[in-house]
Amino acid sequence: MAGITYPLEYGGQGLSETELFIMNSEAAEFDLPLAPFGIGLDMCGPAILDLGDAQQRSRFIPPLLRGDEIWCQLFSESGAGSDLASLQTKAVRNGEDWVVNGQKVWTSWAQIADWGLLLARTNPSVPKHLGLTMFAVDMHAAGVTVRPLRDISGGAHFNEVFLDDVHIPAGCVLGGVDQGWPAAITTLRHERTNVGTRVRSRRAALSFDSLRDAAARRQLLADPLVRNRLVDVFVLERLSELVIEHVAEQTRSGQDPGPRGSVVKLSSAVAESEAARATAEIFGSELLGWDDSPELEEMTTALSVARRAGIAGGTNEIQRNIIGERVLRLPRDPYDNRGTPFQDLRVNTSPDRTGQP
Ligand SMILES: Cc1cc2nc3c(=O)[nH]c(=O)nc-3n(C[C@H](O)[C@H](O)[C@H](O)COP(=O)(O)OP(=O)(O)OC[C@H]3O[C@@H](n4cnc5c(N)ncnc54)[C@H](O)[C@@H]3O)c2cc1C
């Protein structure tokens, strides 16, 4: 099912958004092991198709679609998540190569990735959005160190990534030198649309179907509070599906959903967090004593990481800002340092400012 809308010449199936939508709807009935491939297929691949030249597309897309190469996204840093343009990882030109130094964090699947889509600063003397460049970086190159981060569920799917004098060939620049911000926006739009529309199994622990069945098995469905909460979950889940269908329809008719991808991402995250809240209310302290119930264990694990939907790929607050400013045309955030050269910002990037308040 990989690459349904990818071009035939790069190993895709050359089909339309309609077939993709049908496939995603059918696949939602099953638990499929898609997670490690999602970043490559939904974000990096579409970005390479948009930004890469013919050589880069031929090099990177076919192995991605075959599942031979896994990708990760090296954007966030400890001081640059929502304010991504403040990132400090540096890339300096050295002959035919770029030499990269810095640290990334929350990098999903870096521990098994072969390639990473990296955003790094190539020009600190211009405003922060103007001096960034996007690269494809070989995760097996000398100087790349990946350290897993364990989360509350006990799993460790995201990582810290250290880049120490990593050499990247000039041919791995994607979208042009100092053109990293528009390249990042292109990638994030794919991310936000696809994170929202990615196959979400109806068998997932926090889906309406699973919660209703678990409540029925415990004879809880006669309780009006339980029924009300289940209806809330159903309504938000269905609303989210309708938003996805609406944006998919726009894409099918050739329109770029642009910042409307944030509506998809937000509606999906809100549905998931409401499902988590309802789960806690319906099953209460039962969720703490799940030793003999795999069903409750699965629910508790899903509940413990449910907040990630409203953080990964840009937080709910950031999606609301984008919707306000770019979709509804409300005034911009009053704090705006877009005109200030990056090296003059108070983010400890310039030696004479280090340590100053
Ligand atoms: C499960 C998961 C997987 C991830 N995978 C990846 C990955 O593969 N690659 C990658 O690069 N990153 C990844 N991330 C990182 C993710 O993109 C960032 O966590 C996210 O962008 C938020 O950044 P932050 O954590 O630095 O929070 P901050 O930016 O520090 O935000 C802290 C709080 O302040 C709020 N806030 C910040 N600025 C504003 C504002 N202007 N207006 C209103 N509120 C604001 C935020 O909404 C949030 O509530 C992942 C994160 C998670 C949780």
Side-chain angles (χ1 to χ4, degrees):
M1 63 177 284
I4 288 177
T5 56
Y6 280 65
L8 287 168
E9 60 183 308
Y10 300 117
Q13 299 182 39
L15 297 171
S16 72
E17 293 288 330
T18 306
E19 280 90 0
L20 177 63
F21 184 72
I22 293 167
M23 182 69 207
N24 281 352
S25 306
E26 292 299 317
E29 299 295 339
F30 301 91
D31 270 329
L32 298 173
L34 296 177
F37 302 103
I39 290 181
L41 291 172
D42 294 341
M43 301 167 214
C44 303
I48 292 167
L49 286 176
D50 284 346
L51 305 164
D53 57 30
Q55 208 177 345
Q56 291 169 328
R57 292 169 171 200
S58 307
R59 163 63 190 84
F60 293 126
I61 301 294
L64 163 71
L65 296 186
R66 288 195 303 267
D68 289 346
E69 289 179 348
I70 291 179
W71 281 72
C72 65
Q73 182 198 37
L74 296 156
F75 280 16
S76 303
E77 300 180 3
S78 55
S82 302
D83 186 11
L84 181 60
S86 285
L87 63 85
Q88 302 201 44
T89 293
K90 277 188 295 193
V92 177
R93 187 74 192 241
N94 182 356
E96 287 304 299
D97 289 351
W98 290 85
V99 180
V100 178
N101 280 284
Q103 183 194 343
K104 298 291 174 174
V105 74
W106 315 126
T107 317
S108 304
W109 307 111
Q111 75 275 28
I112 52 167
D114 301 290
W115 288 90
L117 203 61
L118 168 75
L119 203 56
R121 187 162 307 281
T122 39
N123 186 353
S125 59
V126 292
K128 61 183 179 179
H129 294 87
L130 304 181
L132 303 170
T133 299
M134 186 181 280
F135 299 89
V137 58
D138 179 354
M139 294 297 287
H140 306 294
V144 178
T145 308
V146 177
R147 289 200 197 138
L149 293 166
R150 196 159 296 283
D151 67 36
I152 191 173
S153 72
H157 94 272
F158 51 32
N159 304 270
E160 293 179 291
V161 177
F162 298 85
L163 302 147
D164 297 306
D165 288 331
V166 177
H167 283 248
I168 301 181
C172 284
V173 168
L174 287 161
V177 174
D178 292 346
Q179 296 302 311
W181 189 248
I185 296 296
T186 298
T187 311
L188 291 171
R189 280 188 182 160
H190 286 300
E191 175 170 12
R192 283 163 192 166
T193 310
N194 292 329
V195 163
T197 56
R198 198 182 295 152
V199 183
R200 187 160 171 251
S201 169
R202 292 198 190 99
R203 293 166 185 225
L206 302 187
S207 68
F208 169 77
D209 285 1
S210 301
L211 295 180
R212 179 203 50 207
D213 293 350
R217 276 191 284 279
R218 286 164 184 75
Q219 278 83 46
L220 294 172
L221 288 183
D223 182 334
L225 172 75
V226 171
R227 288 210 304 271
N228 276 345
R229 296 304 281 128
L230 285 173
V231 169
D232 291 343
V233 172
F234 177 80
V235 168
L236 282 169
E237 205 173 277
R238 187 69 193 122
L239 272 176
S240 170
E241 285 172 9
L242 289 172
V243 171
I244 290 169
E245 276 177 41
H246 177 65
V247 171
E249 179 66 42
Q250 285 187 323
T251 314
R252 279 199 289 278
S253 65
Q255 295 174 52
D256 176 1
R260 286 183 175 79
S262 291
V263 183
V264 174
K265 162 80 170 62
L266 181 64
S267 67
S268 168
V270 168
E272 188 160 340
S273 74
E274 270 309 301
R277 199 194 305 255
T279 305
E281 285 176 24
I282 294 171
F283 300 99
S285 56
E286 262 203 273
L287 293 166
L288 299 175
W290 39 255
D291 284 355
D292 54 352
S293 165
E295 180 180 59
L296 285 180
E297 179 180 358
E298 201 189 336
M299 240 183 249
T300 306
T301 306
L303 192 59
S304 68
V305 294
R307 284 187 67 87
R308 69 184 173 192
I311 301 173
T315 65
N316 286 355
E317 290 76 22
I318 294 302
Q319 306 312 322
R320 288 192 169 98
N321 281 353
I322 293 170
I323 293 165
E325 293 175 12
R326 312 258 167 78
V327 180
L328 305 177
R329 302 281 169 208
L330 297 175
R332 287 194 77 90
D333 200 323
Y335 175 69
D336 195 351
N337 55 15
R338 285 177 172 251
T340 312
F342 177 75
Q343 63 198 6
D344 297 334
L345 295 175
R346 294 192 166 197
V347 286
N348 290 340
T349 51
S350 171
D352 60 343
R353 284 190 180 270
T354 303
Q356 287 189 7

